[in-house]
Every structure is written in C-alpha cells, then in structure tokens.
Amino acid sequence: MQAEDRKRRILARARADGKVDVMAMAVEFGVAPETVRRDLKTLGEHGLLRRTHGGALPVESAGFETGLAFRAASMVPEKQRIARAAAERLDEAETVFIDEGFTPHLIAENLPTSRPLTVVTASLPTAAAMSEQPSCTVLLLGGRVRGRTKATVDHWAIRMLSELVIDLAYIGANGISREHGLTTPDPVVSAVKAQAIQSSRRKVFVGVHTKFGVASFSRFATVSDFEAIITDTTLSPTEAHRYALLGPKVIRV
C-alpha cells in the first residue's frame, strides 16, 4: 500500500471512529508502528489529526465536522460535570444564550427552574427541551436549519441576535487555542456565535480538553472575550494557567 493511500485510510478511520490507535493501524496495514507514527505526524502537521498517547484524534475542519449524535456519545461524564459547573455561574442572569451542541444542551438541562428565565438559542433540541419548563421563555433564532447539528444559521439568526442584549452566553467551539482563539469549521455557524458574543454582557466557554490547542477553519472569538473557561481535569494545570493569563478564569471539573 502506498503511503498516501495509507494516510487517507487512517484519516478516514479517525473521522469515522473518533480516534485511531497506532498499534491497531500497524496490524491492519501490516506495517511497523513507527510507520504509522510518521503518518500521524504528517497528518498532524497538516492540521487534520491531533496526536494523543498511542494514537490520534480527528480535527474538525472546513471539510469535516462531527454530528450531534456523535457528540452525545463522546466523553459524556466529562460534559455533564462541565454543564453542572457552567449552570452554577448563572448568578443573577435573567436572559441566557445557549449555543448549539451537546454540552450547551446539558447546561440548559441544569439551569434552575425555580425562577423566570429567558433562553435564546439556535438549537432546536434545546428550544424543545426548555419550552417544557413553565418558568422559561424560549426564543428560537430563525434561519436555515443545519441537519448535522439541528441548529439555525444565516442572516435571520444573526439579525435577531443583533437586536438583543443578553445577560450571559454559554458558548462552545470546535477548537480553542491561545494563538487562534475560538474556531469552528463552518463560517455561517461562526457568524452566529460571533454575534451572540457581541450581544452578551458575560461570556462563558464550555468544552472538553480535546478542544484545546486545536484550530478549525473560521475564527469567531478570542480567549480574552470570556470571563470563564470550563473544561475537564484532563487539561493540565500548566496549560490551564496559560489560558488564564489571557484573562478568563479557568475552571477544571
């Protein structure tokens, strides 16, 4: 098998399974583990994979993005802890923006129902779940629905957000890095997130450790835009401190 064909198959496997293992790929292709490691290094240099101990994870890009179903089955305990910690930062906010994605959806489920709350969201699943709460008023942003994430985008959503002043925004991303800020593969999604940040007084980023050090295609914010970053404890204290130096409080749960 030619090296380029092998790398294409490794990348396809990573995107299908959510990760690849060096030893498993070496057995499958009948090559030495070091050959697979070189392939992973090359794919990593091209921004397509992110190396981990013993393997690699796919990086979401303009040509690849995971769907909501995959996200709902990946690192669920970590995302649940992050969601609970994020909901605790509601404080006195009366209006909240909930971003699209699985972790923001979990935040919505953890918000208190004992007092009135207005939730603005582009996420159809989040809007449906929160509308069942009598104390909650839900504003669903209009626009084109993306089938992959079940969320609305385009100029209708952006226009609605531009006319609002929101107390607190819970924001997710496909990647966050100190160099490139917060990024997502699709520019239309990026535009909605950017407007939500502009329209909100307070901003909190939520994401698991695999998001860190990753840069996707379209940038919509800088790290310093956020009052807090909430992630899991696999992000090292040293790396958390580096992000904290840019302004936000970094919370590992």
Side-chain angles (χ1 to χ4, degrees):
M1 180 184 298
Q2 296 296 320
E4 290 306 312
D5 184 46
R6 186 176 60 247
K7 283 184 281 190
R8 281 194 293 269
R9 291 177 63 178
I10 289 173
L11 179 60
R13 177 63 62 83
R15 289 177 169 179
D17 296 347
K19 61 182 179 179
V20 287
D21 178 79
V22 168
M23 299 308 296
M25 290 293 95
V27 172
E28 179 173 334
F29 297 133
V31 297
E34 186 55 39
T35 300
V36 176
R37 293 189 183 97
R38 285 196 297 268
D39 291 340
L40 296 183
K41 180 180 179 182
T42 301
L43 291 167
E45 290 171 348
H46 284 83
L48 298 171
L49 291 181
R50 180 186 182 190
R51 290 297 307 275
T52 62
H53 180 71
L57 302 172
V59 173
E60 296 183 290
S61 64
F64 167 71
E65 184 181 7
T66 58
L68 194 58
F70 178 87
R71 299 176 194 182
S74 172
M75 300 184 65
V76 175
E78 291 88 345
K79 292 174 180 178
Q80 289 173 332
R81 294 198 302 272
I82 291 169
R84 288 192 293 269
E88 291 174 357
R89 295 193 67 83
L90 181 65
D91 295 334
E92 301 305 314
E94 297 179 345
T95 57
V96 181
F97 174 79
I98 306 290
D99 204 357
E100 65 170 60
F102 183 62
T103 304
H105 180 77
L106 292 176
I107 295 173
E109 293 181 342
N110 280 275
L111 291 175
T113 58
S114 57
R115 61 182 175 92
L117 190 67
T118 297
V119 171
V120 181
T121 187
S123 167
L124 272 66
T126 296
M130 296 305 291
S131 66
E132 297 179 0
Q133 300 295 337
S135 61
C136 187
T137 299
V138 178
L139 299 182
L140 175 63
L141 300 179
R144 175 174 60 88
V145 178
R146 298 177 74 233
R148 183 174 292 276
T149 60
K150 302 296 186 294
T152 55
V153 291
D154 290 336
H155 67 274
W156 296 280
I158 295 169
R159 180 175 177 179
M160 286 182 67
L161 279 170
S162 70
E163 296 174 350
L164 301 175
V165 179
I166 301 170
D167 293 331
L168 172 62
Y170 291 113
I171 302 291
N174 300 75
I176 176 172
S177 71
R178 289 176 284 116
E179 298 80 7
H180 302 291
L182 283 74
T183 54
T184 192
D186 195 328
V188 297
V189 176
S190 180
V192 173
K193 292 175 183 286
Q195 184 59 60
I197 289 170
Q198 184 175 336
S199 297
S200 301
R201 294 188 175 98
R202 299 169 52 210
K203 282 79 69 171
V204 173
F205 169 75
V206 292
V208 292
H209 71 277
T210 56
K211 306 281 188 179
F212 288 77
V214 173
S216 188
F217 180 59
S218 182
R219 173 178 171 173
F220 63 87
T222 64
V223 173
S224 61
D225 288 327
F226 294 83
E227 71 168 46
I229 289 174
I230 305 178
T231 187
D232 60 271
T233 53
T234 304
L235 184 73
S236 71
T238 300
E239 191 65 8
H241 178 66
R242 293 184 180 123
Y243 280 88
L245 289 175
L246 298 178
K249 180 178 182 180
V250 181
I251 301 167
R252 299 161 60 249
V253 294

